[in-house]
Amino acid sequence: MSSNYYEERIAFLGEWGPFQWTVFLLLSISAIPNGHVGLSMVFLADTPPHHCRLPEGAEEMPLNMSLPLEQVNEQITFSRCQRYIGAPVNDTSDLQTEGCIDGWEYSKEQYSSTIVSEWDLVCQNDWKVPLSTSLFFLGVLIGSFISGQISDSAVAQKDVDLTVTMMTMLQLVAAALE
């Protein structure tokens, strides 16, 4: 099929006038913040490099005496979820490990803060990040079905217009505050 076929089928619609451009621009203005909200989790929920916070008095010790090594993506790195129990020593082969009972230290090279670093969503809690994103988009799916049914009734058109306007304004405010 050629582009002429498509143009022939929609020829009865006529050219775009001021009304079509107004509707297009208003719908685009409401769609841009939606895209921002949908993609924001990519940045807000990124997991920065981290390791266990060392106990008081051990902060001055080299990390290799306090943190075990692990292989992540074919690279040897300090463990992100374990630390050695007891005082740091040169021979770490016989030491037992424990979880990060004092919390974590996060790299601030790329982000000053993410939801992961604010709420310690790492190690045992790392499952909460994809769950929150899934629940968000489940709400979007349910809301799409409900708002679609509401918008089909002509009586509810004012409510839909108000909802879209409020959603757009609130998302623009949220984007400005980030």
Side-chain angles (χ1 to χ4, degrees), residues 40-50 106-122 129:
S40 66
M41 285 302 281
V42 172
F43 304 103
L44 296 176
D46 193 20
T47 304
H50 60 280
Y106 297 92
S107 170
K108 297 197 183 299
E109 284 182 28
Q110 191 169 11
Y111 304 108
S112 60
S113 174
T114 68
I115 61 171
V116 172
S117 62
E118 287 294 316
W119 297 324
D120 291 332
L121 300 179
V122 292
V129 175

Side-chain angles (χ1 to χ4, degrees), residues 65 84-97:
M65 294 182 171
Y84 290 124
I85 297 175
V89 293
N90 289 333
D91 182 19
T92 58
S93 59
D94 292 334
L95 289 178
Q96 298 293 319
T97 60

